[in-house]
Amino acid sequence: MKGKRQQVVLLSGLSGAGKSVALRALEDLGYFCIDNLPVPLLAQTTALLDEDGYPRIAIGIDMRSSHSFGLFPAHYEALTELDIDLRLLFLEANDETLIKRFSETRRAHPLANGKLTIPESVTLEREMLGDFAHLAHRIDSSDLSANQLRSWVREFVALDRSKLTLIFESFGFKHGLPLDADFVFDVRCLPNPHYDPVLRPLTGKDQPVIDFLEREPRVGQYLTHVLGFLERWLPEFDRDHRSYVTVAIGCTGGQHRSVYLTEQLGKHFALQRQVLVRHREQFPHS
C-alpha cells in the first residue's frame, strides 16, 4: 500500500473485559478486524493485508490462543521494525466485575477446561497477560458502560502516536481504584460540595460547583502541588519513550472534586501536550 502508513491496532485483555465491544467499535470505524489470530501469524497477516490495500486493521489476541501467547514479545518486536503505525490496546477489569460477568452470562472462561473455577481462571489469565499489559495503552472497563468503552476506543485510535499522551481520569473511591492509573491523587481531603443540597446533583463541570471549589484556598493549593509534581516528572517519561501516562484523581463518589480537578489539569496540560480527559463515573446529565 502506498501513501499513508498502515495503522495496526493489536487488541488484547482479560476475558470478559469488553474486547468484543471494542472490536465492533473499531469495525464501525472502518477497520478490517480479525479476532483470535495466533501470535506467529501477526507479521505475515499484517503484510498481506497491507499489500491488498487495507489501510487500517485491528487484530484481537487473547487466551483462546494461549499455546502461542508466550511468543508475543518477540513477534511484537518484529512488528515495531515495520513501517506501520502500531498501537496496542489492553482491556482489563477488576476480579469482582469479571467474575460477575461470567456468572451472569454463564459463559465458560477460556482457561477453565473443567478444572479451574472462574476466580482461579481470572487470576491465572491476569498473570499470563502481564507481559502484554505493560506494553499497551490500558483501559479499565470495570465501571464503564458499552457506550463509554466505545468512546474511549475511538479516542485511542485518533491519537498522534508520535507524542506522549497524558490521560486525566476522575473516579470515585467508593467504586474502586482504576486499574489503568500510573498516578493516583486522593482529593477526599478537600471540601465536599456534596453536603450542599443545591450542589449535590451537579458535577465538577457545572459553574456553581466550580465557584464553590475555587473559593476554597486548599483546592487551589492542591491543584498547584499536583501541577508542580507532574511538570517536574513528565519529562522523565518522555525520555523513557512512554506513549501514555494516566493520572487518576479520586474523590468519594467521582462527581464533584475529582471532576473539577481533572478538568483543570486537562486544560492546563492541553496547552502543551496531547491530553485526554475522562470521567469514569456515570452522571445523570453528562
Side-chain angles (χ1 to χ4, degrees):
M1 183 183 70
K2 297 181 179 180
K4 191 174 181 180
R5 286 194 307 162
Q6 182 189 40
Q7 187 183 91
V8 180
V9 177
L10 300 183
L11 173 64
S12 188
L14 299 168
S15 301
K19 294 192 300 298
S20 296
V21 172
L23 208 59
R24 285 195 295 270
L26 291 168
E27 190 171 33
D28 290 342
L29 291 171
Y31 285 77
F32 182 81
C33 296
I34 304 172
D35 192 17
N36 192 27
L37 185 74
V39 169
L41 298 180
L42 280 174
Q44 179 183 2
T45 301
T46 298
L48 288 173
L49 290 173
D50 192 23
E51 291 176 4
D52 287 344
Y54 290 90
R56 297 192 294 178
I57 66 173
I59 301 174
I61 307 168
D62 56 43
M63 281 294 102
R64 288 172 292 173
S65 298
S66 57
H67 59 283
S68 65
F69 204 91
L71 303 173
F72 177 78
H75 287 276
Y76 170 71
E77 187 66 26
L79 283 176
T80 62
E81 297 175 1
L82 301 178
D83 185 27
I84 60 175
D85 177 0
L86 180 62
R87 302 169 185 237
L88 280 74
L89 179 59
F90 185 88
L91 303 183
E92 56 192 330
N94 59 49
D95 288 1
E96 181 182 358
T97 298
L98 294 173
I99 293 168
K100 181 180 179 182
R101 288 173 182 172
F102 274 102
S103 298
E104 289 176 346
T105 60
R106 300 188 181 277
R107 289 174 48 221
H109 192 284
L111 295 181
N113 293 326
K115 299 177 181 179
L116 299 177
T117 64
I118 291 178
E120 290 170 340
S121 299
V122 168
T123 299
L124 177 60
E125 185 178 35
R126 197 181 294 278
E127 293 173 356
M128 295 174 70
L129 290 174
D131 287 341
F132 190 108
H134 85 275
L135 295 170
H137 172 63
R138 295 152 51 211
I139 293 179
D140 178 3
S141 69
S142 303
D143 296 289
L144 300 184
S145 67
N147 282 336
Q148 278 181 304
L149 179 55
R150 283 190 285 267
S151 175
W152 289 17
V153 169
R154 287 193 294 268
E155 290 176 344
F156 165 73
V157 297
L159 294 173
D160 180 350
R161 282 281 285 118
S162 67
K163 303 175 183 177
L164 180 143
T165 301
L166 189 54
I167 302 165
F168 292 103
E169 178 180 343
S170 69
F171 73 97
F173 275 95
K174 71 178 183 180
H175 301 296
L177 286 165
L179 300 176
D180 50 5
D182 296 295
F183 295 103
V184 176
F185 292 95
D186 183 350
V187 299
R188 289 175 293 183
C189 59
L190 300 178
N192 192 353
H194 173 81
Y195 296 110
D196 184 328
V198 175
L199 302 180
R200 186 175 301 162
L202 305 179
T203 81
K205 292 190 284 187
D206 293 312
Q207 194 60 46
V209 174
I210 294 171
D211 294 340
F212 172 90
L213 292 171
E214 291 185 346
R215 285 195 298 267
E216 296 286 345
R218 285 174 291 170
V219 175
Q221 292 167 4
Y222 195 108
L223 178 60
T224 298
H225 289 155
V226 174
L227 285 171
F229 175 84
L230 294 174
E231 293 279 15
R232 165 62 185 86
W233 289 105
L234 282 175
E236 300 299 325
F237 286 92
D238 288 323
R239 280 188 278 273
D240 195 37
H241 304 293
R242 284 282 295 273
S243 298
Y244 313 98
V245 174
T246 299
V247 179
I249 312 293
C251 60
T252 305
Q255 183 169 330
H256 298 108
R257 295 164 291 180
S258 63
V259 171
Y260 168 77
L261 285 164
T262 296
E263 288 286 326
Q264 297 306 308
L265 289 166
K267 290 175 184 176
H268 174 86
F269 283 100
L271 299 175
Q272 51 190 286
R273 289 181 174 273
Q274 183 168 234
V275 168
L276 291 180
V277 173
R278 296 171 172 171
H279 301 297
R280 191 183 75 177
E281 319 304 350
Q282 292 278 340
F283 305 126
H285 59 291
S286 61

